[in-house]
Structure formats: C-alpha cells, structure tokens
Amino acid sequence: MTAYPLLQTIDSPADLRRLSRDQLATLANELRSYLLHSVSKTGGHLSSNLGTVELTIALHAVYQTPHDRIVWDVGHQTYPHKILTGRRERMSTLRQLGGISGFPRRDESEYDTFGTAHSSTSISAALGMAIAAQLKGEQRKVVAVIGDGAMSAGMAFEALNNAGVPHAGAPANLLVVLNDNDMSISPPVGALNKYLARLISGKFYSAAREGAKQVLKNAPPLLELARRFEEHAKGMVVPGTIFEEFGFNYVGPIDGHDLDALLPTLENLRDKPGPQFLHVITKKGYGYKLAEADPIAYHGPGKFDPAQGLVKPAAPPKPTFTQVFGQWLCDMAVADERLVAITPAMLEGSGMVEFQRRFPRRCFDVGIAEQHAVTFAGGLACEGLKPVVAIYSTFLQRGYDQLIHDVALQNLPVTFALDRAGIVGADGATHAGAYDIAYCRCIPNLSLLAPSDEDECRRALTTAHRQDHPVAVRYPRGAGVGAVVQPALESWDWGKGVVRREGERVAILAFGTLLHPALEAAARLGATVADMRFVKPLDTGLIDELARTHEAFVTVEEGCLPGGAGAAVMEALQAAGHAHPVLALGLPDEFVEHGDPQKLLAMLGLDAAGIEQAIVKRFGRGPARLAPVAAAGG
C-alpha cells in the first residue's frame, strides 16, 4: 500500500470526513488507481466502478454513514464504496469462494444497507427506509443512487410516483442521485450549469421560491404563471420537468467527477426537506483510457495487466452457449423471416450483437424492463411473428406474471432463451439461474427444454422455435464440453429423451449439462444414463420403460430440488404406480454463494465424484439387488 499513502489511512468513512477538499481529490486519484490494479488481479466489474469514485467519496464525506443510509443501484458500482468502508484489504478475495461479494450485502457490512444486484430497486428501498425513519422519529438521511440504465425500469418510476406524495404526515426526506453514465439525458453545460446547480440547490433559491408561493397563493392565476415560468426557465438548462412533476426538487446535471461541484451541492441537498433529485454525469471507465475507449469490453473483465489492457487469447476458446445461441439466432432469422429477437438490456450478455448488426429492424433492446419485454413479445406473437426473448434465467423471474398471463395463458408462440441457467459463479446467489425449472414447469402451455451440450443447445432452440406454443430453453453460462455444433437447423423428436449409456440396476436421468459428470459416474457404477432433454413435457414413456428394467432412479439437475425435474420424475412414477426409490440430486434449498462454478458444483456433490458417492451411499455398488426402501422419495 506504499503507493497509496492517503488511502491506507482510510478504514471507514469517518476517516475521510476529516480530510480537506484537496486531500479528497488526492484520495480520488489513489482510490481509482487501487481499484484498477485490484480488479485486474481478481476480475470483476470495472468500467462502472471507475466512474463512481468521486461520487462515492462525496456521498460518504457529506453524509454520516452508516447512520445515514445509501442504497446503490445497480450494486456492481460499489467497489469504491467497499474499499472505503473497511474492506480494502479484502478486495483480493472479491467474488471468490469465501471472499467478499461483487454486490452490496447486508450481512457483509453495516454500510451495505440493502442488497442490490438486480436493478431499479433502490428508490423503493430507500423510500421505505426514509418513511421508517419518519415513523420512528429518527433524524436520518437516505440516499438512493441509481444508474441511468436502471431508470428505464417501471419499478423506478413506480417508486418516484409514490415518493412524491406525503407519507406519515409529510413528504419523505429522500435524495435520489441519478448516475448518468451512458445514455445521458442531457450533457452538462459548463460553468453556467455548475452555477445554476448550486443556485437551485441552495437556501436562497428555496427561500425565495417558498416566499413567492406565499405571496401569490391568493392569486391562483399568477401563482400558476410563476410556476410555469420557473418550470420553463429550468427546462432551458436542465431536463428536470418530469422529476418535478413527480414531486421532486430537481438539481443538475452536474459533473460527477468534479468534487468542487459535488460536495457543495450534496451539502445543500442534505439539509433540504422532502424529495430531492440530483442528476450527475459520470463516465464509465473514467481515468483509465482503455476502459474509457471501450467501456463494454471493460464492464466485467477477467484478470488482465493494466499496463497492457485486455489481450485476446492465443488459442481461440471453446464457444460458449451464449455464442451458440447468437449464431443460431442469425441462422434461424435467415430461415424464418417471422423471427424477431428481444432482450432487456442484455444485448452483449445474451450474444445478440451480431444479430443486431445484421437484422437491425428485427432486434429490440427494450432496456431494463423485463416485464415489458415479455408482454411486448406476446403482442408481436399475436400478429403472427415468432419472437425470441433472450433473457437470463434470474431476470425472467421479474417478468413472471407476464410469462403466465400475457404469454402462457394465451398460448402464444414465444421462445425464451434462458441464459445463465444454474450456477453462475462469481456473481453468486443473486444471478444464479436456480429456479427456472421449478417456476416454468408449473405453468400450463409452457414447455421447458434442457440441452446437454453446445450442439444439443442449437437443436433445442430450433425445436422450440418451430412450436406453436411458448417454450423455454435453459442453458448455462460459459462453455460446455466442446461438442461440435452442426450447422443444420435440426429439431429433436418432441418430448423424447435418449438413452446415452446402457447399464443395469440404477437409471440416472440427467437434465441438461450435468449429463456429462453423470456419464462419468455411471461408467464406474455400471448404471444406465438417459439424457432427458425435456423437463416438460417429461418423457414418461422412457421413464416407464426404464422402470421395467431398473430398480432405482437417480435424477440430476442444475436447478433447485424443490419443485424441480427430480420432483417431476417422482410425480410421474407415482402416477404410473411405480414404487421405485428415487435419489434426487440438484441445488439444495438454500442460496448458493459466489465462487468458481466447478468448485461450487463439487461442493454441492454435482460433479462426477459427488454423483458417484451419493449413489453408492444410497444404493450401494455392484450387481446385487437393492435392499428394500421404505419411501420412494429422494
């Protein structure tokens, strides 16, 4: 830490509140450098965090955290916050098993006031905290910091609408900070803008404004004229009219990297009652030229050399499932002109960049608006198009009502490409696709497919697209086993699984990519393995056939056990009158921590060794017949 003499003295925000304005500027430089070199060694979100250094310092300098509350949205911009709140030395463990999270976590620090890994929740949470302070008679300030992308979600506007009305007898004392770092609503306009921001946030302006209201309140036409004049005067230099209509006092936009602008403006707003809205302009990747030039590439990089930047690997890596989807999307778009693709702000993450380039009129990035994405797809399907919704498994949870009512209930032919199904690694429990099997298979009309490798994924997507009802295809993050992807657009036989290994006694039913460790375990145990392919409709014919020739079943899935594929198999066996014992292997009924995916699967007993051990423990090893089992459940 010798390169960071000032930063190493900061163990809590109380330490930085003792620094002078010049020292805070020095701290910002050291913090940015430390952040860059720390993330380069661990990987993680970089561009967004380089952009929030000054804003983080200013907020902790002005507000008495942790007594005052700051809610960050989206939480991946909180690395500077973590460094300044006592976790500097633990940054080397970022997003690793047993280390600190890449997002705010209430059980990690008292400064992490609310867990925010999915976006657009901060204003609602902060409003709840502000109202709680009012009801409890506590003098507490509450700030919600929300990114411009997160502001596109309906939930943010629902909260704004609710925050502007009186609660507990008075409007909530809440500051919303819009961190505008990409699609700027309006750029800052230099010295004049900075002066106006200070003026509008200051006491003189507020006093004059309230005094004028008192003078004019008995002359409603003049009061309305004054209000309109003020609104339009502010509208010449700020885009705040919409926020003013919600009942907020709007200030900005100001330069989010200028502490001389941030600190006095925040000090003014801290002491103002009622809902306040501060619009700051920041730049992703600020202070690191390579990230400034390509903030998307540096959004969530792995390990790299800061002096050299990101380098392409010498040997091309195996294609990821996301890339397989992206190629399939383009190929199917050529084959079927009805295909249109939708994503809620995950164009790069879902592999749709090439599709957008080649088919711009058929590509729709609707922003962080998962509910809208699903219903929008339903509307397209009503008119004869074939929508494909590319969405992470964890984000489809946010559009669940729409999935049921706006697509499945009307039996509309929408394909859902569920990326990041199962364990996701460093992003942890908030991003894990643990629940899609359980939450999809209970919905009438909706089918669910689980391909086991890259080529099977392409075939599953083709199969789904050719149906006349809603179908979801789940596939994991990253690469698979490296299966060669055939260029043809071939389908599966609908609702049929396939036996991949003939054995005896025990039949292992694998759903998805855990087929491969299951095959490895089965080879040592002499068991049969079926690649089920379909979670719904379940191949009950294959299950019935295996029940006649085997004594027990094992189900393997990278999804939650309650309500999962294993539960579906047990239900099918019971309905058919079979009393076979079933061992269900999958994700436990708990939130799985962040860490290396392979290590996590091994810890959960879902690698080849774990599957083998679980089977031997339950059913023994060898050709001898199984001992009677009292209960058929897992």
Side-chain angles (χ1 to χ4, degrees):
M1 287 291 290
T2 53
Y4 313 101
L6 191 55
L7 179 60
Q8 70 182 357
T9 68
I10 307 299
D11 295 317
S12 74
D15 296 327
L16 74 82
R17 287 194 278 270
R18 291 192 287 266
L19 301 181
S20 67
R21 186 76 58 85
D22 289 342
Q23 286 177 308
L24 289 177
T26 302
L27 178 64
N29 293 332
E30 290 187 13
L31 176 56
R32 180 169 282 109
S33 176
Y34 181 80
L35 171 66
L36 172 61
H37 287 85
S38 176
V39 174
S40 73
K41 295 175 182 176
T42 62
H45 293 97
L46 182 61
S47 294
S48 55
N49 284 289
L50 290 173
T52 58
V53 168
E54 288 83 6
L55 178 58
T56 305
I57 290 173
L59 286 168
H60 281 297
V62 170
Y63 288 88
Q64 296 296 312
T65 54
H67 175 76
D68 292 336
R69 314 298 198 208
I70 302 177
V71 181
W72 296 90
D73 182 4
V74 179
H76 65 224
Q77 62 183 329
T78 53
Y79 296 3
H81 162 81
K82 287 176 180 277
I83 294 169
L84 295 175
T85 54
R87 288 165 279 182
R88 182 183 64 242
E89 300 303 325
R90 296 194 66 203
M91 285 297 289
S92 60
T93 71
L94 180 72
R95 303 179 0 130
Q96 299 168 40
L97 189 61
I100 61 174
S101 170
F103 302 95
R105 286 186 51 158
R106 283 172 51 82
D107 60 359
E108 185 178 292
S109 170
E110 62 179 335
Y111 292 92
D112 291 1
T113 60
F114 199 79
T116 48
H118 286 187
S119 76
S120 317
T121 59
S122 58
I123 305 176
S124 297
L127 177 61
M129 293 174 182
I131 297 301
Q134 281 185 324
L135 293 172
K136 294 162 67 178
E138 297 173 346
Q139 296 302 310
R140 190 189 307 281
K141 309 295 183 180
V142 183
V143 181
V145 183
I146 184 167
D148 59 320
M151 279 298 299
S152 68
M155 187 174 176
F157 285 90
E158 291 172 11
L160 287 174
N161 183 57
N162 194 224
V165 299
H167 296 271
N173 294 322
L174 170 69
L175 170 63
V176 175
V177 178
L178 172 60
N179 178 25
D180 187 351
N181 61 19
D182 190 13
M183 299 164 54
S184 297
I185 298 171
S186 176
V189 290
L192 176 61
N193 180 267
K194 184 187 299 187
Y195 168 75
L196 287 168
R198 289 189 185 182
L199 176 66
I200 292 170
S201 68
K203 294 181 179 178
F204 173 79
Y205 175 85
S206 298
R209 186 186 195 196
E210 292 305 312
K213 283 183 179 180
Q214 293 301 316
V215 170
L216 297 174
K217 67 180 180 181
N218 294 322
L222 292 178
L223 179 60
E224 176 63 16
L225 179 63
R227 188 192 67 80
R228 288 176 179 270
F229 177 79
E230 178 194 38
E231 178 180 292
H232 289 292
K234 291 176 71 174
M236 293 178 193
V237 290
V238 296
T241 303
I242 184 172
F243 302 111
E244 295 274 2
E245 292 296 331
F246 277 118
F248 282 77
N249 174 51
Y250 175 92
V251 175
I254 64 173
D255 184 350
H257 301 298
D258 184 353
L259 287 169
D260 288 333
L262 280 171
L263 290 164
T265 302
L266 285 171
E267 287 168 355
N268 285 334
L269 291 173
R270 178 193 59 198
D271 298 327
K272 292 173 70 68
Q276 307 295 319
F277 194 101
L278 174 62
H279 181 179
V280 302
I281 305 293
T282 61
K283 185 169 185 173
K284 286 183 177 179
Y286 185 78
Y288 182 50
K289 295 299 182 185
L290 295 174
E292 287 185 27
D294 193 352
I296 292 175
Y298 287 86
H299 171 72
K303 300 177 184 180
F304 68 99
D305 180 355
Q308 191 175 12
L310 300 178
V311 229
K312 290 184 179 178
K318 292 186 294 185
T320 64
F321 281 92
T322 300
Q323 290 169 332
V324 170
F325 165 75
Q327 185 60 56
W328 171 85
L329 192 64
C330 292
D331 294 345
M332 185 56 79
V334 173
D336 186 352
E337 293 184 352
R338 299 172 300 164
L339 184 149
V340 291
I342 303 153
T343 186
M346 287 295 165
L347 202 67
E348 291 82 13
S350 292
M352 288 177 55
V353 173
E354 179 65 13
F355 179 84
Q356 185 192 49
R357 186 188 69 80
R358 291 178 57 186
F359 306 97
R361 295 185 68 249
R362 296 158 68 181
C363 182
F364 303 93
D365 183 349
V366 301
I368 302 176
E370 294 86 358
Q371 294 171 310
H372 165 60
V374 175
T375 304
F376 176 50
L380 291 164
C382 283
E383 299 303 319
L385 297 182
K386 296 281 285 188
V388 177
V389 178
I391 188 169
Y392 292 4
S393 168
T394 184
F395 293 145
L396 183 56
Q397 294 163 188
R398 311 187 92 187
Y400 191 60
D401 184 73
Q402 289 69 27
L403 177 63
I404 295 173
H405 287 273
D406 301 338
V407 174
L409 182 63
Q410 303 180 80
N411 204 27
L412 296 172
V414 178
T415 296
F416 294 91
L418 303 188
D419 203 328
R420 272 65 167 178
I423 295 294
V424 294
D427 283 339
T430 57
H431 284 60
Y435 312 109
D436 55 77
I437 294 177
Y439 74 64
C440 282
R441 81 175 190 90
C442 64
I443 302 176
N445 294 334
L446 177 65
S447 297
L448 178 61
L449 284 56
S452 57
D453 62 34
E454 299 89 333
D455 186 55
E456 289 283 287
C457 185
R458 182 176 173 92
R459 295 183 67 186
L461 290 163
T462 303
T463 304
H465 181 74
R466 288 176 175 164
Q467 305 308 307
D468 59 359
H469 64 275
V471 184
V473 180
R474 74 185 311 259
Y475 48 90
R477 181 176 189 170
V481 293
V484 176
V485 180
Q486 300 300 325
L489 292 168
E490 296 181 349
S491 298
W492 287 339
D493 291 335
W494 183 254
K496 298 296 182 183
V498 290
V499 173
R500 299 294 187 187
R501 186 187 190 282
E502 297 280 1
E504 56 185 10
R505 292 182 67 237
V506 175
I508 304 175
L509 309 184
F511 296 85
T513 54
L514 291 187
L515 168 72
H516 303 284
L519 283 168
E520 190 178 334
R524 294 194 286 266
L525 295 171
T528 293
V529 179
D531 179 357
M532 295 304 291
R533 286 182 167 173
F534 291 81
V535 177
K536 184 182 179 183
L538 191 64
D539 189 350
T540 54
L542 177 57
I543 293 174
D544 189 64
E545 178 184 334
L546 293 172
R548 290 196 295 270
T549 55
H550 293 75
E551 302 169 35
F553 285 93
V554 177
T555 62
V556 184
E557 61 190 298
E558 197 172 332
C560 66
L561 286 172
V569 170
M570 294 180 201
E571 292 163 9
L573 286 168
Q574 185 181 42
H578 296 297
H580 290 60
V582 179
L583 171 63
L585 303 178
L587 302 182
D589 188 18
E590 61 189 51
F591 293 112
V592 179
E593 291 301 304
H594 54 270
D596 176 82
Q598 295 309 312
K599 290 182 180 178
L600 291 173
L601 288 174
M603 285 176 54
L604 297 169
L606 295 176
D607 61 348
I611 293 171
E612 179 185 5
Q613 183 180 6
I615 293 174
V616 170
K617 181 178 179 181
R618 176 70 185 271
F619 299 128
R621 186 189 296 271
R625 293 189 62 81
L626 299 171
V629 177

